């Protein structure tokens, strides 16, 4: 118990409300949350460090494994970043196939999230229902790529596997399945009175807070922020396609930023993804899927390449970012930095938790669709003792002042 | 009161089950015992779900057409391939393979191909069938 009559309640690193290791420390006054502090760093695997000891081709399958379900997202960003650094252009057909795959994954991710959100507020039947319908899109991904997860679809200059005309009927059938089921999903998640009670007015993120804390993706679009990399800075084939920011105000709801509007935005994006895939199938040009059919030639080009590149894409959870630096004559990546969307959205936890009840913690924690495996990139490990620790702001400031003093002392001597 | 739940429940009683009981209907208490029973023909194995057309299973290696250019070693993300200097051929450790298919893509002679085999679980990663040694 603190001096101001508040209690501190840690949730995590291992807790039923969280699907991945992560720690949030809450300050509780009675039943109300008066403070929340996020402590990431429990799921660090050193993937960037591993990547910097391999050549660019070896990192493609590694980047795929940063996240359990966004394997397409990280591959897409990494490949775009390297292509940017080395000046490789993918073919137009490959750009369209990349969009189709990315949108299929968005359907997959949003349906999965809806199930997790329902589970967090106690509707396990809805969890089973959404995970049942998610099987269809996983079957489709398996049909296109050959595997259910870790698709190994991306390569420099294009994609590994084509989507020929014979696959269109099955893709169309799956899209139709989701279109028919959408009404039911809307009825469950937007019409059900008990779900509305648990979601309307809970975990509110105001537009000001969303802009101030640099949140990304559906989390801030629900607050009315017009922010979507697919429209703001089109990549792959998104420049040719017709799409619109999905805001709750488009559908006659307020841009309130509560959990209800976040659910609404995700469900509407599901419909939008179906529309985008249809547009892609119509417009896809007939050409090669890779600009350089000889992989060995690209490998040599990458060895000589010198420069830095970025890959910025709209993941299902929001904008994510990869930075790659290549050095001429060096086979391995010179630098690789991953910034996943959860890293930004984590900051929005603080205003969302404020004033809510302890019982609302699981659903608010789930509402940004956190992916800790993607996010955890930095941790301080003491090499001599093997101990892990986190540095707080004051401590860092003290260390910084000490270093300045040490440096000044060195000059004086 | 007839609700959607009851309707769905009744409907599900008559639909085909999504779960395929594999390899046998009920999980055996002893996997080795079950394998022995299947081997002796006393228990019939439940066929697995059909795999997709371009499934990436265990690798097959055509050692005769391999020219020993070592390109596959350069793109293997999990170091599953090792070069045998004496015969100038490639040794493949199946247990380390991530089935990304980059070796098959880069090979100028198309020595690598993916088979449909996916039953590779075992206790010895250096067992005879887990190492393709030319």
């Amino acid at each position: 118990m603190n001096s101001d009559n508040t209690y501190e309640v840690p949730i995590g690193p291992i807790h039923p409300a969280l699907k991945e290791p992560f720690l949030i420390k809450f300050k509780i006054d009675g039943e109300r949350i008066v403070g929340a502090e996020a402590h990431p760093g429990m799921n660090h695997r050193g993937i960037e460090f591993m990547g910097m000891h391999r050549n660019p081709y070896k990192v493609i399958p590694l980047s795929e494994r940063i996240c359990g379900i966004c394997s397409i997202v990280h591959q897409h960003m990494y490949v775009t970043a390297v292509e940017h650094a080395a000046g490789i252009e993918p073919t137009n057909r490959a750009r369209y196939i990349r969009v189709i795959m990315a949108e299929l994954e968005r359907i997959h991710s949003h349906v999965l999230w809806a199930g997790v959100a329902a589970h967090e507020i106690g509707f396990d039947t809805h969890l089973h229902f959404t995970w049942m319908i998610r099987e269809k899109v996983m079957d489709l991904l398996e049909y296109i790529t050959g595997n259910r997860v870790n698709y190994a679809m991306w390569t420099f200059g294009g994609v590994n596997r084509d989507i020929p005309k014979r696959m269109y009927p099955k893709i169309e059938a799956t899209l139709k399945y989701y279109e028919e089921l959408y009404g039911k999903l809307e009825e469950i998640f937007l019409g059900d009175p008990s779900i509305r009670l648990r979601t309307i007015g809970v975990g509110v993120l105001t537009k000001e807070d969303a802009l101030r804390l640099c949140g990304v993706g559906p989390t801030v679009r629900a607050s009315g922020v017009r922010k979507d990399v697919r429209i703001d800075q089109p990549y792959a084939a998104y420049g040719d396609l017709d799409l619109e920011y999905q805001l709750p105000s488009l559908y006659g709801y307020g841009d309130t930023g509560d959990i209800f509007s976040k659910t609404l935005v995700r469900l509407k994006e599901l419909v939008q993804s179906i529309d985008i895939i249809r547009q892609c199938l119509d417009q896809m040009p007939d050409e090669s899927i890779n600009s350089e059919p000889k992989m060995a030639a690209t490998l040599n080009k990458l060895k000589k390449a010198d420069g830095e590149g970025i890959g910025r894409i709209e993941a299902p959870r929001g904008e994510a970012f990869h930075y790659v630096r290549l050095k001429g004559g060096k086979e391995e990546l010179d630098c690789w930095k991953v910034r996943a969307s959860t890293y930004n959205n984590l900051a929005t936890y603080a205003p969302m938790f404020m004033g809510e009840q302890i019982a609302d913690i699981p659903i608010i924690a789930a509402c940004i669709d956190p992916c800790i495996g993607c996010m955890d990139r930095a941790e301080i490990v003491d090499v001599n003792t093997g101990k892990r620790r986190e540095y707080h702001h004051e401590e860092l400031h003290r260390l910084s002042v000490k270093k300045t003093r040490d440096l000044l002392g060195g000059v004086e001597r | 009161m007839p609700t959607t739940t009851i309707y769905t429940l009744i409907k599900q009683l008559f639909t085909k089950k999504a779960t395929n009981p594999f390899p046998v209907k009920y999980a055996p208490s002893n996997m080795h015992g079950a394998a022995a029973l299947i081997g002796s023909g006393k228990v019939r194995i439940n066929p697995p779900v059909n795999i997709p057309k371009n499934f990436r299973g265990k690798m097959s290696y055509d050692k005769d057409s391999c020219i020993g250019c070592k390109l596959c070693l350069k793109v293997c993300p999990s170091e599953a391939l090792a070069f045998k200097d004496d015969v100038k051929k490639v040794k493949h450790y199946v247990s380390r393979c991530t089935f990304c298919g980059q070796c098959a893509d880069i090979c100028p002679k198309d020595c690598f191909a993916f088979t449909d085999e996916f039953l590779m679980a075992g206790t010895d990663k250096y067992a005879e069938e887990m190492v393709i040694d030319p």
Side-chain angles (χ1 to χ4, degrees):
Chain A
M1 192 168 161
N2 299 329
S3 54
D4 54 346
N5 282 350
T6 57
Y7 283 93
E8 229 169 68
V9 178
I11 301 282
I14 306 296
H15 191 271
L18 306 163
K19 297 287 166 283
E20 283 176 279
F22 178 61
L23 172 65
I24 316 173
K25 281 184 183 158
F26 291 101
K27 231 176 171 189
I28 309 283
D29 182 12
E31 191 47 21
R32 295 274 151 198
I33 301 166
V34 291
E37 206 181 316
H39 291 263
M42 314 284 173
N43 201 5
H44 181 69
R45 292 164 294 166
I47 283 193
E48 286 163 340
F49 183 78
M50 280 156 77
M52 282 187 261
H53 291 79
R54 290 152 189 243
N55 73 26
Y57 267 110
K58 287 188 183 183
V59 182
I60 302 178
L62 181 68
S63 67
E64 204 176 358
R65 284 157 177 81
I66 289 177
C67 178
I69 66 164
C70 314
S71 43
I72 281 175
V73 168
H74 284 285
Q75 242 184 339
H76 196 159
M77 274 185 288
Y78 168 71
V79 168
T80 319
V82 173
E83 280 171 352
H84 183 202
I88 301 168
E89 278 289 318
T91 60
N92 281 335
R93 191 179 175 81
R95 288 174 193 266
Y96 277 94
I97 294 176
R98 285 179 181 185
V99 170
I100 293 174
M101 297 299 291
E103 292 305 319
L104 282 177
E105 194 179 71
R106 199 181 308 277
I107 296 177
H108 169 190
S109 181
H110 283 349
V111 171
L112 184 142
W113 176 82
V116 170
H119 166 73
E120 298 295 9
I121 48 179
F123 290 89
D124 271 0
T125 40
H126 297 347
L127 167 81
H128 292 298
F129 172 69
T130 50
W131 285 45
M132 178 191 84
I133 66 173
R134 168 176 158 258
E135 278 302 304
K136 282 275 175 204
V137 73
M138 293 195 77
D139 284 349
L140 183 64
L141 284 165
E142 187 187 31
Y143 176 70
I144 294 172
T145 65
N147 285 36
R148 267 165 70 87
V149 280
N150 295 337
Y151 316 102
M153 191 74 170
W154 263 253
T155 187
F156 302 123
V159 286
N160 278 331
R161 275 166 283 276
D162 197 8
I163 301 183
K165 279 252 165 13
R166 67 175 167 83
M167 284 183 176
Y168 285 22
K170 181 142 187 195
I171 298 175
E172 185 52 46
T174 311
L175 297 182
K176 232 187 179 129
Y177 174 80
Y178 281 104
E179 251 175 1
E180 277 164 12
L181 267 171
Y182 177 73
K184 194 165 184 190
L185 274 174
E186 202 167 57
E187 186 193 317
I188 289 174
F189 285 98
L190 306 178
D192 189 277
S194 34
I195 291 195
R196 283 172 78 98
L197 274 176
R198 285 302 307 271
T199 54
I200 291 179
V202 175
V204 175
L205 179 71
T206 58
K207 193 173 178 180
E208 291 72 46
D209 278 337
L211 287 169
R212 192 167 53 86
L213 298 166
C214 299
V216 288
T219 310
V220 299
R221 281 199 284 279
S223 312
V225 180
R226 297 167 79 81
K227 195 174 186 180
D228 190 329
V229 192
R230 293 177 291 174
I231 302 163
D232 301 337
Q233 205 183 47
Y235 54 94
Y238 283 111
D240 305 349
L241 305 169
D242 183 27
L243 62 160
E244 187 54 52
Y245 299 100
Q246 298 297 309
L247 306 178
S249 49
L250 272 182
Y251 303 98
Y253 295 90
D255 291 335
T256 45
D258 55 5
I259 293 168
F260 180 80
S261 51
K262 289 185 180 83
T263 316
L264 177 83
V265 166
R266 287 203 170 90
L267 290 181
K268 292 293 175 190
E269 282 190 11
L270 204 140
V271 182
Q272 189 193 32
S273 293
I274 294 171
D275 179 48
I276 292 173
I277 295 167
R278 287 229 173 91
Q279 287 183 41
C280 283
L281 292 177
D282 285 345
Q283 299 179 19
M284 202 150 62
D286 211 7
E287 58 176 332
S288 158
I289 54 163
N290 201 322
S291 55
E292 174 58 67
K294 281 204 181 69
M295 220 171 134
T298 315
L299 190 65
N300 277 334
K301 192 177 178 183
L302 287 171
K303 205 172 170 182
K304 286 180 212 134
D306 197 298
E308 47 187 7
I310 56 162
R312 240 184 112 194
I313 78 159
E314 182 77 16
R317 297 175 168 88
E319 180 194 334
F321 178 90
H322 273 224
Y323 168 82
V324 165
R325 189 167 69 226
L326 299 170
K327 235 179 205 166
K330 191 181 174 188
E331 211 176 334
E332 294 87 22
L333 297 181
D334 196 44
C335 181
W336 182 29
K337 174 77 195 136
V338 181
R339 208 274 287 132
S341 22
T342 304
Y343 190 75
N344 282 36
N345 283 341
L346 217 56
T348 62
Y349 266 162
M352 280 197 285
F353 277 122
M354 214 57 76
E356 300 297 349
Q357 290 185 345
I358 300 174
D360 288 327
I361 289 174
I363 179 66
I364 299 175
C367 81
I368 66 161
D369 200 357
C371 180
I372 311 303
C374 290
M375 190 254 327
D376 265 0
R377 299 265 78 85
E379 185 185 53
I380 290 98
V381 180
D382 190 339
V383 184
N384 294 326
T385 57
K387 270 187 190 156
R388 283 136 195 266
R389 62 173 302 189
E390 294 153 358
Y391 280 81
H392 297 293
H393 180 69
E394 296 88 342
E395 220 174 341
L396 276 176
H397 179 69
R398 196 169 45 76
L399 280 172
S400 164
V401 171
K402 188 172 172 286
K403 188 176 176 183
T404 318
R405 285 204 183 127
D406 285 354
L407 283 173
L408 282 176
V411 171
E412 280 166 15
R413 270 198 295 273
Chain B
M1 195 180 76
T3 57
T4 334
T5 322
I6 293 167
Y7 175 69
T8 317
L9 245 161
I10 293 168
K11 212 170 101 185
Q12 275 180 355
L13 282 175
F14 300 102
T15 48
K16 195 173 162 256
K17 285 187 178 63
T19 313
N20 180 39
F22 181 77
V24 276
K25 197 172 179 187
Y26 298 105
S29 55
N30 178 358
M31 204 59 219
H32 287 285
L37 279 176
I38 291 164
S40 63
K42 275 180 195 156
V43 177
R44 212 157 56 89
I45 193 164
N46 219 335
V49 180
N50 286 339
I51 52 166
K53 213 175 175 183
N54 37 12
F55 177 75
R56 301 190 296 280
K58 190 180 171 182
M59 195 90 79
S60 75
Y61 172 57
D62 177 11
K63 67 174 177 183
D64 296 325
S65 51
C66 178
I67 52 169
C69 65
K70 289 196 198 174
L71 275 174
C72 47
L73 270 78
K74 278 189 183 162
V75 293
C76 180
S78 52
E79 319 259 319
L81 300 166
F83 195 68
K84 290 186 90 180
D85 278 317
D86 48 342
V87 285
K88 299 257 183 296
K89 301 285 175 204
V90 175
K91 193 173 176 181
H92 177 53
Y93 295 95
V94 182
S95 56
R96 288 183 207 164
C97 185
T98 58
F99 309 100
C100 63
Q102 296 203 114
C103 52
D105 288 339
I106 204 167
C107 186
K109 293 283 168 191
D110 294 334
C111 305
F112 293 105
F114 288 103
T115 62
D116 291 349
E117 200 186 328
F118 62 90
L119 294 170
M120 285 174 282
T123 48
D124 181 11
K125 57 184 175 180
Y126 298 114
E128 203 179 322
E129 68 276 11
M130 295 303 276
V131 181
I132 302 175
D133 197 352

